[in-house]
Amino acid sequence: MAHGPNKDEKIVFVGDSRVRAKASTLIPQDFSAYPGKSEVFIPNFLLKEWMVGVVVLCGILALVMSEAAPLGYPADPTNTQFIPMPDWYFLFMYQLLKYPYTSDQFIVLGTLGVPGILFGGLMLAPFLDTGPERRFYKRPIASTLMFLGLIAVTYLTVTSWSHYQHELKEKNIIPEHIKREEEMHASKGTAGGEGGGAKKPAASAAAIVAPDDPAAAIYQKSTCIACHGGDLKGMPSAKIPALRGVGDAHDKAAILGIMKNGVGNMPAQYDANISKGLTEADLDKLADWLAKQKAAQ
């Protein structure tokens, strides 16, 4: 580029327009006007949160696959000893519905009104609390509502669980999922054998007496089958006795008395069988047939 004789003359070089200039690196945004904020939400912050969520999810999946979930027994509407309970994260709602002002005539308030206000408030919180302050102690209204919500949920959850444990202890009930878990571990121990040696032969159960008797068909229609099973073997893990050999301990009159008055944790089943369609003659035949179930024949 030509220039004059002046040595102090500033020379400006002009690049060739046909050569594309290199793009400069992106300059990070300045967040100095936003206290506590140092990066963009998308994708920087969101990507890190997503990665943490994936790690936590993988850990939960590993725990789920490592141990089978203990399930309860099939639903039985005649089982009056069963206490229904929701999952732990719904215990506060379960307890809320026990109070008189959220149940019975006010059930709509308990199921739709109160939850709607709570979850609606959570949805509206970002629009109502628009202040720039991020420190919780400088946001009294939002912080107060948050702490009140946490205290209420914690109190209702603990109260619901305490009442459940008290009811189990009072009625001497073992939850079904615990019974099934004990059965599962017991079956694993039996399958494992005893030191690799030959397994001991199991004691043979008493056979069913007169399986072709018409009373056997009545038994299949009765409420007895729900707990004692169609094979009369009961549920030993749940402390429900077998009916095979019951005739050795009870005669016909005693069995009828148990049907009418119950025994132990077993409630009376006489009226329940009548409402199920059986007649008094059917129950008389059933008691007579059960009295014949003796171990030695």
Side-chain angles (χ1 to χ4, degrees):
M1 177 178 181
H3 56 84
N6 187 0
K7 296 181 179 180
D8 297 329
E9 182 181 359
K10 183 178 180 181
I11 302 175
V12 179
F13 295 93
V14 181
D16 191 343
S17 61
R18 294 173 298 176
V19 180
R20 182 173 298 176
K22 293 182 179 180
S24 60
T25 57
L26 295 176
I27 301 175
Q29 298 185 30
D30 182 16
F31 293 98
S32 58
Y34 303 93
K37 191 172 183 181
S38 59
E39 60 182 346
V40 293
F41 180 75
I42 299 175
N44 298 9
F45 181 80
L46 188 60
L47 180 61
K48 290 190 293 185
E49 294 294 316
W50 179 82
M51 293 176 65
V52 172
V54 169
V55 172
V56 173
L57 179 61
C58 292
I60 294 174
L61 291 177
L63 291 175
V64 170
M65 291 185 293
S66 63
E67 186 70 24
L71 303 177
Y73 297 104
D76 178 17
T78 64
N79 183 9
T80 58
Q81 297 294 316
F82 179 75
I83 304 176
M85 283 291 289
D87 292 314
W88 64 269
Y89 43 83
F90 282 132
L91 282 178
F92 73 98
M93 285 296 302
Y94 181 70
Q95 180 64 25
L96 183 66
L97 294 176
K98 293 181 180 180
Y99 295 116
Y101 49 82
T102 54
S103 59
D104 198 15
Q105 297 179 354
F106 303 97
I107 190 67
V108 177
L109 177 63
T111 55
L112 297 177
V114 176
I117 293 174
L118 295 177
F119 290 102
L122 288 176
M123 295 178 62
L124 294 176
F127 304 98
L128 299 177
D129 186 20
T130 57
E133 186 58 55
R134 296 171 64 87
R135 299 175 181 84
F136 75 92
Y137 52 83
K138 290 189 177 182
R139 299 167 61 185
I141 297 178
S143 299
T144 301
L145 293 177
M146 178 190 71
F147 285 119
L148 285 177
L150 289 176
I151 292 172
V153 170
T154 303
Y155 170 78
L156 291 173
T157 301
V158 173
T159 303
S160 178
W161 184 252
S162 300
H163 288 177
Y164 174 63
Q165 294 295 323
H166 177 73
E167 192 171 2
L168 289 177
K169 186 176 180 180
E170 183 180 3
K171 296 182 178 180
N172 194 23
I173 298 175
I174 301 177
E176 289 187 354
H177 66 280
I178 295 180
K179 295 179 185 177
R180 292 295 293 268
E181 189 174 10
E182 292 175 352
E183 291 177 358
M184 183 174 62
H185 290 305
S187 62
K188 286 182 179 179
T190 304
E194 298 178 3
K199 297 180 180 178
K200 297 180 180 179
S204 58
I208 298 178
V209 179
D212 298 329
D213 192 289
I218 297 174
Y219 173 80
Q220 297 295 328
K221 299 177 183 179
S222 69
T223 60
C224 309
I225 194 173
C227 296
H228 298 283
D231 53 4
L232 281 73
K233 291 184 178 180
M235 297 180 185
S237 61
K239 298 181 180 179
I240 298 177
L243 293 182
R244 296 191 182 193
V246 67
D248 294 328
H250 303 286
D251 58 10
K252 176 182 176 181
I255 293 175
L256 277 173
I258 293 174
M259 288 183 182
K260 294 179 180 180
N261 304 316
V263 61
N265 292 329
M266 171 187 162
Q269 297 293 317
Y270 197 87
D271 293 336
N273 281 294
I274 294 294
S275 62
K276 202 171 181 180
L278 299 181
T279 62
E280 294 184 0
D282 291 335
L283 295 179
D284 187 78
K285 294 178 182 178
L286 177 59
D288 183 63
W289 180 71
L290 290 175
K292 296 177 182 178
Q293 305 302 317
K294 299 182 178 182
Q297 287 291 329

